[in-house]
């Protein structure tokens, strides 16, 4: 067969991937920067509210607290009263936006742990100490755990996965794929709470309060389901790597590799001081967990509500209210304990530097939150969110789609939207004000709705170029193969995405509807209006 024939065959074989990539890139290119997008949405909301207020759009108010015959009417912001409300509420909308404070506080602690080197050493320790026959499992599992501080997973673990597989005589791109599948595909699975949990919970709470002003969503909303999902994602990711990705990649040819990545020294085994530091961090972890247990477990514990009786979940409201503070304390104490031993944290200045470094990385996030907060506020003030939710809920009820299948379609929708809007918080800030109230109206709790969203978002993270770290992963991959392109990366990761979607959706349906288990501590499956 001639070279031309080979090229034609290659184009034909990859043609559907190319078309898929073209569609994704086309959709992504239609969207502006997420900050600009929220600014446009906020502005559009003002004009839409003016139009619908002018035509007198309204729906019957289905909330139990509403008086008989009450309606929900569109409120115009495109008038003098609306302008006064917009200008007067600009600052309050921003500073009172629930996700802002919780992320900033949590990141102060995570920044210390990251600056001290604890997170990097922990991941390397898990992966490098694993026996060779379970190294794939260790890489995926470490990837899932690393999304507690996601940047560390992308920057440290993904290239480390390639170096480990190469050292074992396996295809390095399979190692990178396994790590990427754990870090990003398993973004909503973990044994620990991370900064994304209070962030999404805050957005969910804002959306839920559109119909129930007193509703509270804790950072632990999906924790039980996240813990179980960690092991499912690890198993699926490992099996896909071993039985699909590695055979597809075949034997590694290093003729197109950057010579620098062929040096085994990149793996950097843990030094003696790092091992000692991890031991000290383990002791600090036990100490913090012991302190939490002392405050929560006894019936008269400081973080128990004495008026709620002896039921643990019912009386643990003060603890769940303070979960973000505990995330801060945990990473601060454990990170400093590790850094003190290895020499990266000598005094208060080093701690402050770690906190400052973490906050400095959130500049773009703070700007995004400013505009997202305005959009969410305008959406609520105009009543268009409620009207859309009521109309959508009535439509679902009219066609009889109120059972488990509604979540399958919801997960698919979230996955598709994620292909063009890769930021988890940006996507949820746009969709939550519509879908949380809508699904609450047909009887489902905000916690369950958020859990379903996280499945759809996570399963397509690894196949969308719109994901913020996609370019970084591609850059790492081309060091092992100069010809490795975006289409090849999507084709490599697509089996993970498909298997995660099927496995995770089935687990969700079994967990919520088959076994009737809560997705998190104190998280109901169904919503009952007060």
């Amino acid at each position: 067969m001639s070279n031309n024939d080979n090229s034609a065959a290659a184009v034909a074989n990859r043609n559907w991937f190319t078309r898929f990539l073209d569609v994704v890139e086309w959709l992504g290119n239609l969207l502006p920067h997420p900050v600009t997008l929220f600014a446009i949405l906020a502005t559009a909301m003002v004009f839409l509210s003016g139009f619908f207020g002018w035509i007198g759009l309204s729906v019957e108010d289905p909330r139990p607290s509403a008086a008989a015959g009450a309606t929900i009417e569109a409120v115009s912001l495109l008038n003098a009263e609306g302008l006064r409300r917009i200008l007067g509420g600009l600052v309050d909308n921003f500073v009172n936006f629930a996700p802002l404070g919780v992320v900033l506080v949590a990141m102060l602690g995570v920044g210390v742990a990251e600056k001290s080197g604890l997170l990097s050493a922990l991941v390397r320790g898990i992966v490098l100490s694993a026996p060779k026959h379970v190294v794939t499992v260790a890489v995926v599992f470490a990837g899932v755990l690393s999304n507690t501080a996601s940047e560390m997973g992308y920057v440290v673990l993904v290239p480390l996965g390639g170096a480990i597989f190469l050292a074992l005589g396996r295809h390095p791109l399979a190692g990178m794929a396994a790590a990427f599948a754990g870090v990003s595909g398993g973004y909503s699975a973990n044994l620990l709470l991370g900064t994304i949990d209070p962030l999404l919970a805050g957005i969910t709470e804002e959306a839920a309060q559109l119909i129930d002003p007193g509703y509270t969503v804790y950072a632990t909303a999906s924790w039980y389901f996240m813990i179980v999902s960690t092991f499912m994602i690890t198993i699926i990711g490992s099996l896909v790597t071993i039985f699909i990705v590695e055979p597809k990649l075949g034997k590694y040819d290093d003729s197109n590799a950057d010579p620098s990545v062929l040096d085994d020294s990149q793996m950097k085994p843990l030094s003696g001081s790092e091992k000692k530091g991890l031991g000290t961090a383990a002791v600090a972890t036990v100490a913090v967990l012991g302190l939490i247990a002392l405050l929560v477990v006894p019936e008269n514990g400081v973080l128990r509500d004495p008026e709620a009786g002896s039921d643990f979940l019912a009386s643990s409201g003060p603890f769940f209210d303070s979960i973000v503070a505990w995330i801060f304390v945990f990473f601060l104490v454990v990170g400093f304990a590790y850094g003190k031993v290895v020499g990266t944290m000598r005094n208060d200045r080093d701690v402050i530097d770690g906190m400052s470094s973490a906050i400095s990385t959130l500049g773009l996030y703070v700007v995004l939150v400013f505009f997202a907060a305005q959009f969410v506020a305008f959406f609520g003030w105009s009543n268009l969110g409620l009207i859309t939710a009521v109309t959508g809920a009535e439509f679902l009820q009219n066609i009889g789609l109120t059972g488990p299948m509604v979540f399958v379609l919801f997960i698919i929708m979230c996955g598709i939207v994620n292909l063009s809007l890769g930021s988890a918080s940006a996507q949820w800030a746009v969709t939550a004000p519509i879908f949380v109230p809508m699904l609450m109206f047909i009887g489902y709790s905000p916690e369950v709705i958020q859990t379903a969203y996280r499945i759809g978002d996570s399963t397509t993270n690894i196949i969308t170029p719109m994901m913020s770290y996609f370019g970084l992963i591609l850059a790492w991959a081309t060091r092992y193969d100069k010809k490795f392109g975006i289409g090849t990366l999507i084709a490599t990761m697509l089996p993970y995405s498909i298997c995660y979607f099927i496995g995770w959706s089935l687990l969700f349906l079994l967990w919520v509807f088959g076994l009737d288990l809560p997705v998190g501590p104190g998280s109901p499956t169904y919503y009952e209006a007060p």
Side-chain angles (χ1 to χ4, degrees):
M1 183 179 287
S2 68
N3 288 337
N4 289 336
D5 291 336
N6 285 331
S7 299
V11 170
N13 289 335
R14 294 181 55 198
N15 197 32
W16 78 275
F17 284 118
T18 303
R19 289 199 301 268
F20 171 74
L21 176 61
D22 289 342
V23 171
V24 172
E25 287 185 325
W26 178 72
L27 289 173
N29 289 334
L30 290 178
L31 291 173
H33 190 283
V35 173
T36 306
L37 176 63
F38 276 115
I40 293 173
L41 288 173
T43 303
M45 192 55 54
V46 174
F47 286 97
L48 284 174
S49 71
F51 173 74
F52 288 117
W54 176 65
I55 66 173
L57 178 67
S58 65
V59 296
E60 184 177 348
D61 193 340
R63 292 174 291 185
S65 59
T71 60
I72 302 172
E73 301 177 352
V75 176
S76 175
L77 301 177
L78 197 61
N79 51 35
E81 183 179 350
L83 180 61
R84 287 193 293 268
R85 191 172 189 182
I86 290 171
L87 296 178
L90 204 69
V91 175
D92 287 342
N93 294 341
F94 177 48
V95 298
N96 294 327
F97 193 57
L100 176 63
V102 295
V103 170
L104 293 178
V105 172
M107 281 302 295
L108 290 174
V110 173
V112 174
E114 188 167 10
K115 189 76 172 180
S116 70
L118 169 64
L119 300 180
S120 174
L122 182 61
V123 169
R124 284 161 47 221
I126 292 174
V127 174
L128 296 176
S129 63
K132 290 185 178 181
H133 63 282
V134 296
V135 71
T136 304
V137 176
V139 168
V140 179
F141 181 68
V144 176
L145 295 186
S146 74
N147 66 48
T148 300
S150 58
E151 288 187 16
M152 184 272 301
Y154 292 116
V155 175
V156 176
L157 184 61
V158 174
L160 181 63
I164 290 171
F165 270 48
L166 180 64
L168 296 176
R170 300 168 66 181
H171 204 299
L173 294 179
M176 291 186 63
F180 188 24
V183 175
S184 203
Y187 197 63
S188 290
N190 213 317
L191 302 180
L192 303 172
L193 295 176
T195 54
I196 190 64
D197 299 295
L199 168 60
L200 295 184
I203 296 174
T204 305
E205 180 176 291
E206 296 264 355
Q209 289 178 353
L210 288 173
I211 65 171
D212 189 344
Y215 203 95
T216 301
V217 179
Y218 297 112
T220 55
S222 306
W223 198 8
Y224 293 159
F225 188 76
M226 286 168 52
I227 292 173
V228 175
S229 297
T230 300
F231 301 102
M232 185 212 67
I233 289 297
T234 300
I235 293 170
I236 292 178
S238 301
L239 293 176
V240 169
T241 302
I242 295 170
F243 294 106
I244 298 179
V245 173
E246 281 196 279
K248 179 180 180 298
L249 290 171
K251 185 175 177 60
Y252 178 57
D253 178 7
D254 62 9
S255 60
N256 290 316
D258 182 336
S260 65
V261 300
L262 303 179
D263 182 3
D264 290 344
S265 65
Q266 290 186 89
M267 294 178 64
K268 297 180 181 177
L270 295 177
S271 65
S273 64
E274 287 177 321
K275 292 178 180 178
K276 185 177 179 181
L278 287 176
T280 304
V283 173
T285 298
V286 172
V288 173
L289 294 179
L291 176 60
I292 294 174
L294 183 64
L295 298 175
V296 176
V297 174
E299 284 192 30
N300 61 346
V302 174
L303 295 181
R304 294 279 291 271
D305 183 357
E307 298 181 0
S310 59
D311 182 84
F312 179 76
L313 289 178
S315 63
S316 296
F319 168 67
F320 293 128
D321 286 336
S322 63
I323 195 68
V324 176
W326 283 111
I327 293 175
F328 164 72
V329 171
F330 174 81
F331 283 106
L332 173 64
V333 172
V334 176
F336 181 77
Y338 172 86
K340 191 69 175 177
V341 172
V342 300
T344 55
M345 289 279 160
R346 296 181 177 84
N347 50 45
D348 60 318
R349 292 185 179 275
D350 293 324
V351 173
I352 294 169
D353 286 344
M355 292 181 178
S356 301
S357 177
I359 296 300
S360 67
T361 64
L362 295 177
L364 178 59
Y365 169 74
V366 173
V367 175
L368 185 146
V369 162
F370 173 78
F371 290 100
Q374 309 311 322
F375 164 70
V376 171
F378 298 170
F379 206 35
W381 293 347
S382 67
N383 281 341
L384 294 182
L386 275 176
I387 292 173
T388 304
V390 171
T391 305
E394 289 177 349
F395 173 74
L396 293 176
Q397 290 170 336
N398 290 337
I399 65 174
L401 190 61
T402 57
M405 186 53 63
V406 73
F407 280 100
V408 175
L409 297 178
F410 178 57
I411 291 171
I412 292 173
M413 184 278 299
C414 292
I416 292 173
V417 172
N418 189 52
L419 292 176
S420 297
L421 188 60
S423 168
S425 57
Q427 181 188 344
W428 192 225
V430 172
T431 54
I434 299 173
F435 288 99
V436 170
M438 182 188 300
L439 296 179
M440 286 175 71
F441 276 129
I442 62 174
Y444 294 106
S445 73
E447 292 85 352
V448 167
I449 300 166
Q450 175 186 285
T451 302
Y453 159 72
R454 296 187 68 172
I455 294 173
D457 172 71
S458 296
T459 52
T460 53
N461 269 342
I462 49 181
I463 59 171
T464 172
M466 300 303 110
M467 199 274 293
S468 56
Y469 288 96
F470 194 89
L472 177 63
I473 305 306
L474 183 62
W476 280 112
T478 54
R479 297 182 68 191
Y480 288 105
D481 184 353
K482 297 176 184 176
K483 298 180 179 180
F484 198 86
I486 298 178
T488 313
L489 180 54
I490 291 178
T492 301
M493 301 309 300
L494 193 58
Y496 294 101
S497 185
I498 294 172
C499 292
Y500 281 172
F501 170 77
I502 295 173
W504 223 340
S505 297
L506 290 176
L507 176 63
F508 175 81
L509 295 177
L510 175 64
W511 186 274
V512 175
F513 298 102
L515 302 176
D516 193 24
L517 296 173
V519 293
S523 297
T525 298
Y526 301 100
Y527 170 69
E528 296 182 3

